[in-house]
Amino acid sequence: MPNVHQISVSDGGVPKLPVDSVEIGLRGLTNDKQNDLVHHGSPDQAVCLYSLEVIEALQSEGHPIFPGAAGENLTISGLDWAQLTAGDQLKVGDDLLIEITFPTAPCSKNAEWFVDRNFRRMSDDLHPGFSRMYAKVLQPGSVKSGDDVSKV
């Protein structure tokens, strides 16, 4: 069963650091901030998701990326990431319901996590299935590490 491998928050910027649990409302995670509210922080970008398996694939290519490094809030394990598309709904834990809105644009703030600083390695246009995903919150809820994640 897919699950939440790690929950990550920050006071702004990357990397985001792990926490055991969090409340997630319509505007995102409590105690999580973004430095750039022009490109981040809208309701359609309330939660940033990434795949543990994608991170591990990038690591196997020699990239020094790790869970939370790329600014994702929820690192998910066991979900078929390449099949995830806008409109898919995910139930996380007992209460949280989110809907995938769109793949994130690669950001230069993530250059240090990539060999030759090639942060475009996580571009959905160039490398489908390797992008982080944004989601909007349909039903707020509490999430803790290890919570089940399922497509609705």
Side-chain angles (χ1 to χ4, degrees):
M1 168 69 88
N3 66 75
V4 176
H5 173 77
Q6 182 172 301
I7 303 163
S8 304
V9 299
S10 77
D11 287 332
V14 295
K16 291 186 182 285
L17 302 175
V19 295
D20 293 329
S21 62
V22 72
E23 292 292 322
I24 301 180
L26 296 176
R27 297 293 293 192
L29 287 73
T30 53
N31 299 321
D32 184 55
K33 297 183 178 120
Q34 295 79 36
N35 289 335
D36 177 359
L37 295 179
V38 172
H39 296 102
H40 306 288
S42 79
D44 283 347
Q45 301 166 314
V47 183
C48 184
L49 309 169
Y50 213 12
S51 163
L52 178 63
E53 290 79 11
V54 170
I55 291 169
E56 289 171 342
L58 291 168
Q59 289 172 337
S60 74
E61 294 174 7
H63 303 291
I65 192 168
F66 54 90
E72 78 274 10
N73 299 120
L74 300 180
T75 308
I76 308 295
S77 175
L79 197 61
D80 188 350
W81 203 253
Q83 298 302 312
L84 206 58
T85 61
D88 285 348
Q89 294 183 2
L90 301 175
K91 176 139 180 168
V92 183
D94 293 331
D95 303 316
L96 183 68
L97 181 63
I98 57 177
E99 182 178 307
I100 302 301
T101 50
F102 51 89
T104 67
C107 175
S108 63
K109 302 284 187 203
N110 287 308
E112 68 183 287
W113 318 124
F114 292 90
V115 173
D116 297 329
R117 302 184 57 81
N118 184 13
F119 62 92
R120 287 179 181 81
R121 179 62 184 88
M122 61 195 307
S123 166
D124 191 61
D125 292 334
L126 299 174
H127 304 279
F130 279 81
S131 176
R132 298 162 296 153
M133 296 291 229
Y134 276 128
K136 64 182 174 182
V137 176
L138 301 177
Q139 178 180 309
S142 299
V143 175
K144 63 185 181 311
S145 293
D147 275 351
D148 289 342
V149 176
S150 59
K151 273 189 168 183
V152 177

